[in-house]
Amino acid sequence: MKVEISKHSGFCFGVVNAIEIAEKALKNSNGIFSLGDIVHNGAEIERLKELGLTTITREEYFKLNNCQVLIRAHGEPPETYEYAKANNITLIDATCPVVLKLQKRVKKSHMEGIQDNGQVIILGKKGHAEVVGLVGQTGNSAIVIESEEDIETIDFSCPVTIYSQTTYPLDKFKSLSKKIKARADDGVQVTSRDTVCRQVANRVPQLKNFAAKFDLVLFVSGKKSSNGRFLYQECENINPNTKFISTMEELDKNWFANVQSVGICGATSTPQWLMEKVANWISENF
Ligand code: SF4
């Protein structure tokens, strides 16, 4: 049986960076809280939990004091930092540098647009942690556009600056930006800033090529990862014999009947060690 792990799967730079920061901080502490899951992958969260990282919700965060809290790669709105300052919480900031830069740009656009009723638009998923962090830079005034239906919430008589969540699909960003520009009143300025992170966007064509090469594709990802669901769909479109698994227990021996080659790939939140575990299981069993 031929088994190959995709070179274009696994943690993106921002997540690797956040986990390294967490592991380093955990060595010198009795336990740290993580504001939200550090990565959308249950197996990796379990591993870090054993090292002392406990995931908390936003509601839980706003009841804490005198402790250490890690901010994950998605970033946080200003209110999180303000609360920490007022409640003696030491923040370990693992915000991805790419997200941090985007937050600054969004804030700048908001400040510059205040006088002319400028609107900051974020193309992204409503309620997603990164989007909450971005909207927070604008005093919660930014408009989040998830799909075409949301475009009507924009005031087309006022200037618009469009940004994207870093993991927003690139083609969707381009088509929605075009539609927003077409709807704007004559003479109204619409600026579109493509802030899609290429760490994720570039993976689509790479994964499609990979998925096409095998009899069976195992897509390994946490169920909560939106990037995982999106990339899985792309693989399945190319190779209908693609299976989504989150844990080793979900592997089914029946899938391997009449199969000569297996490709293993995953999302930006899939740990390398988990894909390797899957590969080893196949080699041992077939
Ligand atoms: S996808 Fe890009 S912006 Fe988002 S955490 Fe990863 S490297 Fe950072």
Side-chain angles (χ1 to χ4, degrees):
M1 178 83 74
K2 183 185 162 209
V3 184
E4 190 181 325
I5 300 175
S6 156
K7 289 186 190 70
H8 303 291
S9 295
F11 294 159
C12 64
F13 153 76
V15 172
V16 170
N17 180 53
I19 291 172
E20 276 173 12
I21 292 173
E23 284 176 333
K24 205 170 155 200
L26 285 163
K27 277 188 189 143
N28 308 310
S29 93
N30 295 326
I32 295 173
F33 293 114
S34 169
L35 182 43
D37 290 339
I38 188 166
V39 58
H40 294 303
N41 186 280
E44 181 65 0
I45 288 170
E46 270 310 306
R47 187 185 73 83
L48 290 165
K49 198 175 170 187
E50 278 167 26
L51 300 178
L53 190 70
T54 308
T55 303
I56 51 164
T57 62
R58 289 187 69 71
E59 290 71 38
E60 286 167 327
Y61 173 75
F62 286 107
K63 289 179 194 147
L64 290 176
N65 53 47
N66 305 314
C67 58
Q68 287 184 296
V69 177
L70 179 111
I71 294 185
R72 58 189 169 166
H74 293 319
E76 280 292 318
E79 61 179 15
T80 303
Y81 294 84
E82 286 154 18
Y83 181 83
K85 219 170 167 184
N87 290 280
N88 197 29
I89 292 175
T90 305
L91 290 179
I92 300 153
D93 198 344
T95 306
C96 173
V98 179
V99 175
L100 216 51
K101 201 167 151 204
L102 172 57
Q103 286 185 346
K104 285 185 185 143
R105 291 178 72 187
V106 166
K107 185 173 180 178
K108 193 164 172 257
S109 291
H110 167 65
M111 302 305 282
E112 286 172 355
I114 287 175
Q115 268 191 342
D116 327 319
N117 293 326
Q119 302 157 95
V120 172
I121 309 292
I122 312 284
L123 298 187
K125 197 167 186 296
K126 289 173 190 163
H128 185 283
E130 183 190 309
V131 172
V132 171
L134 295 176
V135 171
Q137 307 304 318
T138 65
N140 295 329
S141 68
I143 301 167
V144 181
I145 304 283
E146 216 170 283
S147 58
E148 201 174 335
E149 298 81 69
D150 299 330
I151 289 181
E152 296 314 315
T153 53
I154 300 171
D155 178 352
F156 289 105
S157 64
C158 297
V160 167
T161 308
I162 309 166
Y163 286 96
S164 60
Q165 182 183 339
T166 57
T167 47
Y168 200 71
L170 188 55
D171 52 349
K172 225 169 142 189
F173 173 81
K174 286 182 181 162
S175 70
L176 282 181
S177 294
K178 219 169 165 182
K179 283 185 178 129
I180 294 169
K181 279 183 184 164
R183 285 280 279 108
D185 292 357
D186 282 349
V188 170
Q189 195 180 355
V190 177
T191 312
S192 154
R193 297 199 169 134
D194 166 8
T195 49
V196 173
C197 176
R198 297 313 194 256
Q199 286 258 339
V200 174
N202 286 346
R203 289 191 176 191
V204 177
Q206 289 158 342
L207 269 185
K208 279 182 174 171
N209 288 340
F210 180 81
K213 292 194 309 189
F214 301 94
D215 297 337
L216 168 68
V217 173
L218 297 178
F219 191 93
V220 188
S221 168
K223 292 191 172 54
K224 279 198 236 169
S225 166
S226 49
N227 164 254
R229 277 193 304 271
F230 167 69
L231 292 177
Y232 162 71
Q233 207 51 61
E234 294 287 334
C235 286
E236 207 210 13
N237 291 344
I238 292 291
N239 186 337
N241 200 20
T242 301
K243 310 286 182 194
F244 187 104
I245 57 162
S246 299
T247 61
M248 297 297 294
E249 289 68 43
E250 290 169 54
L251 284 164
D252 183 342
K253 286 192 173 165
N254 294 323
W255 295 339
F256 299 84
N258 306 319
V259 162
Q260 308 293 325
S261 62
V262 185
I264 301 168
C265 52
T268 49
S269 50
T270 306
Q272 184 70 23
W273 60 261
L274 188 52
M275 289 187 284
E276 279 165 12
K277 219 169 157 184
V278 173
N280 291 340
W281 181 89
I282 298 168
S283 304
E284 280 162 17
N285 285 279
F286 298 97

